[in-house]
Amino acid sequence: MTEESFGSVLRRLRLAAALTQEQLAERAELSVQAISALERGARRNPYRETVQNLADALNLTSEDRDVFSALSSASRSKTAGPGSVAARQLPLSALHFAGRIQEVEAVTDLLSAEEPRQAPRIITIQGMAGVGKTALAIRTARLTEAHYPDGQFYVQLNGFGAGQPLPVADALGHLLRATGLMPNAIPTSVERASTLLRSRLASKRALLVLDNAFGPEQVIPLLPGASSCAVLITSRQNMTTLPADRHVRLTPLDEAEAADLVQSIVGTTRAAAEPVAIAELVELCGRLPLALAVAAARLAARPTWSAQHLVGRLQDEAGRLDELANDHLGVRTALAVSISQLSPNGSRQLPSLPDVFALLGTLTGSDFGLDLAARLLNTAPHLAESALEQLVDVNLLGSPSLGRYQFHDLIHAYAREKAEVDLTEQQRQQAHERILRLYRAVAWRGLKWLDPGAPRLAWNEADWLMDGPALSSAQESFQWLDAEQANLAALLRHLASTEDPDQLMAGLVLGLYGYATVYSRIGGWVPIVRAAVRVTEDRRYRAALLHDFGIACADDGHLDEAVDAFRLSAEMFLAVRDIRSESLAVNNYSRLLGRMGRHSQAIDLANRSLSLYQQISDQRGTARALLNLSQLHDRMGAFTEHLIYATEGLVRFEQIQSDAGIANANHNVGSALANLGRYDLAITYLSAGMESFDRLGHRTGWADAARDLAKALSATGTVSEALVLFHQALTIAIDRSDDRRRASVQHSLGATYLNAGDHALAETHLKAAHDYYKRDQRTVGVAEEIERLLSKLND
């Protein structure tokens, strides 16, 4: 047995045990590639842990185990060669290490590969502070140390640490001394010392770990030239300019890996007792290994604390970084070092990088685009991009896609701290106002493009449109707002919760009506508009906001509040002699009462609105009032009157060439025709409405028209095409978290499946719609209608 190679013996023993390579790999907790490489002799130097795992997996006797181990040791000794360097400088591996399975395998495979090559193996490990770069480097270096018998060197370059980065000359001196060179023989010149290091390692199998590098320029003079050597480099800086075999970029752990790390520190019993709290702890730590280790160690040191208690402490964002600190170790300390290395030099066109970081901390959301950042920094987009990319290079920001940037949650928390400490109150307020004005401009410009004749355009000021990025359509504007939706929603919620909301909020909220209507994206609209009403002193703006408050309350099911808001809005517009806006408020008041089943009052108000619009010769308003009257008669079952009013409204919208009005009117005419059983003509008008909504980028309008077109198609027997449209409309409603539209589509979809004989799908959709309408009685009689359909399932 001892005359054979290690690989041939391993293969013979595996076959004798009747194991495949895959089975042996699973038992030994190795990769299939590793087993294959060992058997082929591609890996001639197995490390001791691997040999022990293989012996255990093969159930070797003690005698065979001794021979097997001796054979592997002999294999390692053959590669050492004369004059081996004795340096063994690797630090201890991290006691608690979880996850990174793919990264560990990739790095160890590369470090232990035996194929001929012309240059040393170079691997960089990059990532944000606390993500576990050093832990991965040391672990993989330890696992492959047998492949580098001539020495394992370690240098802490202090690129991101207290004080200054280690000078290159000092790093070279450290490495040369580790090769056995006397201090007085080390050249003072960096170039000569670098050349001497390459000469000293030229015939050696050595591994260098260059930890915490400041940048490529710090490590290039330290690289050996021998192909038998390997180098592991860790850095928070972007190191992709180095000619490396592999650049490993670490991100936070996934949920399971993060939970495993916590469990390894607090213990299995304690972690298993509070799985929900541990999962919350993982997310509050942003799945960052450093934060997880500190939090878990804090919990382990306090046996009387529950995990839920620590979660409660971490939920206080203002004190979260305090909780994630332990003596000199902590997230704040690690991030402070990164900030201290940023360029402190600013200019008139761009603040210094530390101030850029602090200004970004004034954003309420962690995800933002270049246009938003440029306005926040009060500079040109190309200058803002340069600054942001520098923050990306040191992993203080991520860039998930071109032109978009993202904070890790803990880095964002630190940026907010820096904003409070490093910026003056005036700087923070000015930054806040720049952002509000940007959102306001984009919102109003989108509304103007969507509907140039919209009556609410009279509510904006001229300078409100003179800001923002280069956008040329309503769709572009609303897509821009949608990309910033999370940040915008967080800002609005913050403004709504403050004691004294910003006066700019009123103009922003009024302008967002178009986006909110088309995309149905901003949740919690009622408290936001309520706050804007509260802060606004101008009577006309207050009336306008009350009008929008009525819409928001109606959409949220607060019908009594909506009624009061529309009534007060109409009265205030009357008081300030704004007849056009009064007509708008009365018209929407009428629509609400119609939905509530108060048809007589609704018709009276609709006729009053029509009269007011005709009084001021407002063709557009007249057309809107006519469409409202058509919808009210639809609710009353008067389908002929529904068609008459809708057709007259369409004619007027076509006369004034209002694209949005034509889209809505075509939808109304098509619905009226369908109700009268004139399906072929209904399909023509509904299709025209859909096409108009599509051109406008009005997705919710498109979904409503698609739903009604699908109903008409279903009635004509074109069920397969109808189902496609129903599901497209349902997808839009779900995507926009629009429960009302979702229920409406599922109501019609369930009825279609019922008629088609698919009772299982019919029941699924009808029950979902019924659950909604039983909770929300904004549309009278719908729940009862669905109950009648459900009863047919049992007939």
Side-chain angles (χ1 to χ4, degrees), residues 450-453 620 652-663:
L450 177 70
D451 195 356
R620 177 192 175 82
R652 291 179 182 269
F653 275 126
E654 287 177 336
Q655 287 173 346
I656 62 175
Q657 298 181 341
S658 168
D659 292 338
I662 291 170

Side-chain angles (χ1 to χ4, degrees), residues 586-637:
V586 170
N587 198 53
N588 284 322
Y589 188 8
S590 165
R591 293 177 63 192
L592 172 63
L593 293 178
R595 284 171 55 190
M596 296 170 68
R598 294 160 62 175
H599 297 134
S600 177
Q601 289 176 276
I603 292 290
D604 288 344
L605 284 170
N607 283 319
R608 176 186 162 193
S609 174
L610 179 61
S611 176
L612 286 169
Y613 280 127
Q614 290 172 335
Q615 178 184 330
I616 58 175
S617 301
D618 185 336
Q619 289 290 89
R620 177 192 175 82
T622 299
R624 286 172 55 87
L626 288 167
L627 286 191
N628 182 34
L629 280 164
S630 78
Q631 291 164 350
L632 289 172
H633 284 89
D634 176 28
R635 293 182 186 282
M636 295 166 63

Side-chain angles (χ1 to χ4, degrees), residues 148-161:
Y148 299 96
D150 294 334
Q152 301 97 43
F153 301 83
Y154 175 84
V155 186
Q156 169 54 257
L157 295 174
N158 203 44
F160 297 88

Side-chain angles (χ1 to χ4, degrees), residues 466-489:
M466 305 300 292
D467 209 342
L471 301 167
S472 57
S473 68
Q475 189 166 6
E476 283 188 18
S477 297
F478 294 154
Q479 285 175 345
W480 189 96
L481 289 169
D482 210 43
E484 301 295 346
Q485 189 271 336
N487 203 43
L488 173 59

Side-chain angles (χ1 to χ4, degrees), residues 478-756:
F478 294 154
Q479 285 175 345
W480 189 96
L481 289 169
D482 210 43
E484 301 295 346
Q485 189 271 336
N487 203 43
L488 173 59
L491 172 63
L492 289 168
R493 287 193 297 270
H494 170 72
L495 290 172
S497 65
T498 59
E499 290 296 323
D500 184 24
D502 196 292
Q503 292 288 334
L504 291 170
M505 184 180 181
L508 171 60
V509 170
L510 287 174
L512 281 169
Y513 172 83
Y515 167 70
T517 301
V518 171
Y519 275 71
S520 299
R521 281 290 201 190
I522 302 174
W525 197 237
V526 170
I528 290 167
V529 187
R530 180 184 283 120
V533 171
R534 176 167 53 86
V535 74
T536 303
E537 297 178 359
D538 183 280
R539 294 176 69 192
R540 187 160 174 266
Y541 287 137
R542 189 175 180 84
L545 285 163
L546 279 167
H547 168 267
D548 284 6
F549 185 59
I551 294 175
C553 288
D555 283 347
D556 258 16
H558 306 300
L559 302 188
D560 290 339
E561 279 190 277
V563 167
D564 289 342
F566 282 131
R567 179 177 51 79
L568 285 172
S569 174
E571 290 173 358
M572 292 181 73
F573 279 130
L574 175 62
V576 297
R577 301 180 183 279
D578 186 343
I579 296 177
R580 180 174 283 103
S581 297
E582 178 193 356
S583 306
L584 177 66
V586 170
N587 198 53
N588 284 322
Y589 188 8
S590 165
R591 293 177 63 192
L592 172 63
L593 293 178
R595 284 171 55 190
M596 296 170 68
R598 294 160 62 175
H599 297 134
S600 177
Q601 289 176 276
I603 292 290
D604 288 344
L605 284 170
N607 283 319
R608 176 186 162 193
S609 174
L610 179 61
S611 176
L612 286 169
Y613 280 127
Q614 290 172 335
Q615 178 184 330
I616 58 175
S617 301
D618 185 336
Q619 289 290 89
R620 177 192 175 82
T622 299
R624 286 172 55 87
L626 288 167
L627 286 191
N628 182 34
L629 280 164
S630 78
Q631 291 164 350
L632 289 172
H633 284 89
D634 176 28
R635 293 182 186 282
M636 295 166 63
F639 300 133
T640 299
E641 289 79 3
H642 177 198
L643 179 59
I644 292 170
Y645 283 117
T647 302
E648 189 176 348
L650 175 58
V651 169
R652 291 179 182 269
F653 275 126
E654 287 177 336
Q655 287 173 346
I656 62 175
Q657 298 181 341
S658 168
D659 292 338
I662 291 170
N664 280 301
N666 272 319
H667 181 194
N668 272 263
V669 171
S671 296
L673 289 165
N675 286 331
L676 291 168
R678 298 164 63 181
Y679 295 114
D680 289 344
L681 199 53
I683 288 169
T684 299
Y685 278 96
L686 288 167
S687 298
M690 284 177 60
E691 290 173 6
S692 296
F693 283 127
D694 192 45
R695 284 195 302 271
L696 292 167
H698 197 319
R699 301 308 295 159
T700 52
W702 187 94
D704 290 343
R707 175 203 60 209
D708 291 346
L709 175 57
K711 289 163 65 176
L713 289 169
S714 179
T716 62
T718 316
V719 177
S720 59
E721 188 176 341
L723 291 175
V724 170
L725 287 172
F726 274 133
H727 282 287
Q728 288 176 333
L730 183 60
T731 297
I732 290 173
I734 292 172
D735 183 51
R736 282 153 174 72
S737 302
D738 191 333
D739 292 340
R740 180 168 64 86
R741 279 189 171 84
R742 179 176 181 172
S744 175
V745 175
Q746 289 191 292
H747 175 197
S748 300
L749 186 55
T752 302
Y753 276 124
L754 178 62
N755 292 332

Side-chain angles (χ1 to χ4, degrees), residues 83-140:
S84 296
V85 177
R88 298 290 185 269
Q89 296 183 331
L90 295 179
L92 291 173
S93 293
L95 180 61
H96 303 288
F97 186 94
R100 308 298 191 204
I101 295 173
Q102 293 181 344
E103 291 86 351
V104 168
E105 183 170 318
V107 175
T108 54
D109 281 353
L110 185 54
L111 290 178
S112 57
E114 296 290 343
E115 76 278 2
R117 51 186 294 126
Q118 302 300 315
R121 294 171 174 81
I122 299 176
I123 303 171
T124 74
I125 303 175
Q126 306 166 48
M128 63 180 287
V131 79
K133 301 179 294 295
T134 299
L136 175 63
I138 300 306
R139 186 170 187 83
T140 52

